[in-house]
Amino acid sequence: MEEKIALAACSGMSPNGLVARVAVHDLAIDDVEILSICMGSTSANVTGFKRMLDKYPILAINGCEGNCVGKILEQKGVEIVDELNVGDILAETEHKANDAARLDEEGEICVSIVKEVIENKINIIIFFFSMNMLLSCYKSISFSEVPLKIFVDY
């Protein structure tokens, strides 16, 4: 990945909240371009934390239909690029997390499923950010100054 992205995971005490936290933690450990946001620090307005929230695109990973992560970030004036819901992701599978404090074999399968969905979403976000930057560069070119030969040769 070329651009850092921040993931904000559910901190709720539900099985899906645990899956969200573990999936985000695993991804942040495996890739230095992925940052994990502490929702407790966000909620508590920890000094200096808002700067990090404004620095990188943020993908919210909600545990359930309450969508607390997105709501908390919105209340703090933080813009997210997108959000996912672990409950919705797992509803499309035959797997279900069943413990809010410990991952069993089924919980680990859920983490793997959610990590794959998050990785796919990150790739889409990075692609669109790259395209947006490319379009910004394209718009700044004055084509009256570019020799026509550049376009004819290709």
Side-chain angles (χ1 to χ4, degrees):
M1 188 182 318
E2 296 173 25
E3 170 97 23
K4 288 191 181 205
I5 187 164
L7 303 178
C10 171
S11 59
M13 289 304 296
S14 71
N16 287 345
L18 177 60
V19 168
R21 287 188 301 282
V22 173
V24 166
H25 177 75
D26 286 357
L27 290 167
I29 291 294
D30 293 342
D31 189 335
V32 296
E33 302 297 324
I34 297 175
L35 307 172
S36 177
I37 291 175
C38 175
M39 290 306 296
S41 294
T42 302
S43 297
N45 294 321
V46 171
T47 305
F49 202 73
K50 179 81 165 73
R51 280 193 305 271
M52 189 190 81
L53 295 174
D54 292 334
K55 188 172 183 178
Y56 302 108
I58 298 173
L59 174 60
I61 313 299
N62 293 294
C64 67
E65 66 280 347
N67 296 321
C68 300
V69 176
K71 289 176 182 175
I72 290 168
L73 292 171
E74 182 182 340
Q75 289 170 1
K76 300 298 178 183
V78 177
E79 189 174 326
I80 60 173
V81 292
D82 207 346
E83 56 189 315
L84 296 171
N85 183 303
V86 172
D88 292 343
I89 293 167
L90 295 178
E92 296 178 15
T93 73
E94 61 205 37
H95 299 285
K96 182 178 186 242
N98 50 43
D99 194 318
R102 290 175 179 60
L103 288 174
D104 56 10
E105 188 175 325
E106 183 71 6
E108 291 289 353
I109 292 169
C110 293
V111 167
S112 294
I113 292 167
V114 171
K115 281 173 53 176
E116 184 176 340
V117 172
I118 294 170
E119 287 174 320
N120 290 338
K121 182 62 81 169
I122 288 171
N123 289 333
I124 291 168
I125 290 167
I126 296 300
F127 172 78
F128 280 109
F129 269 82
S130 298
M131 291 304 295
N132 191 33
M133 290 186 70
L134 181 63
L135 287 173
S136 295
C137 291
Y138 176 80
K139 289 176 184 177
S140 68
I141 296 172
S142 171
F143 286 99
S144 62
E145 298 171 10
V146 176
L148 186 58
K149 184 172 178 4
I150 291 174
F151 297 105
V152 174
D153 288 344
Y154 293 99

